[in-house]
Amino acid sequence: MNPTSLLHLPTELLLKIVCELESKDLLNLGKLCRRLNLVAVPILLKEVGLPDPESSCIVKASSHRYTDELAALSIYFPLSTINNFYCIISHRHDLEETFVPPSYISWLIGNIRRVNSLISRLSSVGTVSLVIDSWGSGWSLRSDVVRDFITSVLELAETIMRKSCTSLQILHFHPTTVETNYNFERFEAPTTSKKLVRSIQNLTNRLVRRRVQERDLNFVGNGWRYHKAPSLFPIYCAIPRISQSRLTHIDLNSEFLLLPPFSAWTFEVLKSSPICTLVISLPSSITKEEFALYHFPRIAESVPKLQEIRCAFPDDHFLKTVVENLHLLPLLRKILFGLSFPTECMPMVTSTPSTIKRINLRYLSSFTGSPDQAAYFLRGPVLCPDLQFINLISDSSYQSHTFETDYWSLAKQLGSISNSILEMGIKPCISLCLANIQEGTPPVSDGTTNCFQHLPIVSRLTLGVQRFSAWYDMYDAPTSHQLLIDSTLAWLNIFRGLTYLTLVVKCDQSIDHQSQLRILSAMKIEYPGLVSVNVVNLTVHPKTYHYHWSNAHDDWERGTNDIPTTPSYKRKSRERAGLVVLQFLHPINSRDLLDAQY
């Protein structure tokens, strides 16, 4: 009688047996041989939420490294290419409280190397999004384990680029300040009286300078230089071990990749790639002077074919540097700025001096940012003859320490924007999102200053209204909804030029479908000129949020590049796609909606 084993069973019977096994047993079974691998691992991948790994993989590296999604993918023999790969390394809640740095950093390094091993055996990968959510005390480049962590990230990035990757996103957020390894300083050129001293110094240090000249070339410029901080390792150029890549989209939000010595690696990657879209979020340790003299000039010089740029700064004073260097990016089509927390007022540019040459951004079609940023940009030395969309975001969380919207300042900035577009002779579509406003009646003009006269230039308005249980009586929903309707109508009375309205309501109780229809009907009756009205209901339980990239900042779930595992955040573009409820009162051009995304 012939011996019988799992390998000798018919496939149909083998599948029935395998379907009864637990995930850990499926993983072990898939390691035995190729046939069992082809039967067990696809079932395991479906159980962990990866039914089609070649198309899209969303993995969360965990502390259970031998039974997570990454382990299953690592032993799946037929897998040779992944179109979209998303990896989130964040398990702070799964780890014990005693698991603190440097042990935690070592755990991060181990999982990054696991991802590197998976990517290494693939033939190609299309888009990659790597999210590393760290926690604990402050990190320092004085620490060997931190330097090992950065090295492992760079090695993974180089592996990804060798696999013909076209879009790379690296998000690494750290809750506390990171200690850097350098001091940025400016210096004046030596005078004639110091020539003798300089000659002696050049003679005595010639050999040393020759030895370090190539390594320090990236960190010395005209009137500025980087100096090694005391007791820290010297600056060196970490040049990537790849000459050319196919990256067209790169998103860097890290405390390290824009700081020396690793900034040299980043700029080399930008130079060796045909970058069309660049997304950067500056660490808080970078100063305005450092950004103006070192960072942005090198960024602009490295991506001459850039078409879209997204920048998030510690404060709006960095905007001046960006505007002054836009002549290095003549092909720009889209500009997006992240909202900044309040600081001292940034001086508004009232007019462009005749001595300053105008920067002609003839391809620029879309600008997104706060009203302050838009007013500053449009009153600067720029010409935008093809500007079609101005997307404004006013979030009270970033406007004042009292978290209250400054409507008078908003009206003033809209007036400045209106004057600028009239001077340029353009008629862009202006969208405005008022996020996190409290339910109630909006402010009205006093009749003398008429400061709200420019508000009708806004044609698309999103109202993000927060309602709380104290205002929402579940036993008197019609009355509560009428208050919402009255408040919204008051806003429409101020923004008289609206054609599109999105009402984002966050409350303890869900608004039922009939109530939503009642709200829509009221808007239509009072303002028949509206092309569409969109009602979005965000609930407290479960938590859902409305957001834009511009006010995401260090929330990695809001900064991700469309990772499908973040359903609690509803993007502006998805609202118009009808995730909650969407009623068009008249036909609308879908392309216009696509172009007007924030």
Side-chain angles (χ1 to χ4, degrees), residues 460-475:
R460 304 173 188 239
L461 177 65
T462 298
L463 287 177
V465 180
Q466 294 199 35
R467 313 178 74 196
F468 301 99
S469 56
W471 301 340
Y472 187 94
D473 187 353
M474 61 180 299
Y475 300 105

Side-chain angles (χ1 to χ4, degrees), residues 73 82 102 113 127 140 239 285 322 403 435 463 504 520-521 534:
L73 289 172
I82 299 177
R113 290 173 177 171
T127 65
S140 171
I239 304 300
S285 57
V322 176
F403 302 103
L463 287 177
V504 181
L520 291 171
S521 178
N534 186 15

Side-chain angles (χ1 to χ4, degrees), residues 334-355:
K334 292 185 178 182
I335 297 177
L336 294 89
F337 291 123
L339 304 189
S340 301
F341 289 101
T343 56
E344 62 273 14
C345 295
M346 183 176 64
M348 177 60 61
V349 177
T350 57
S351 62
T352 302
S354 58
T355 56

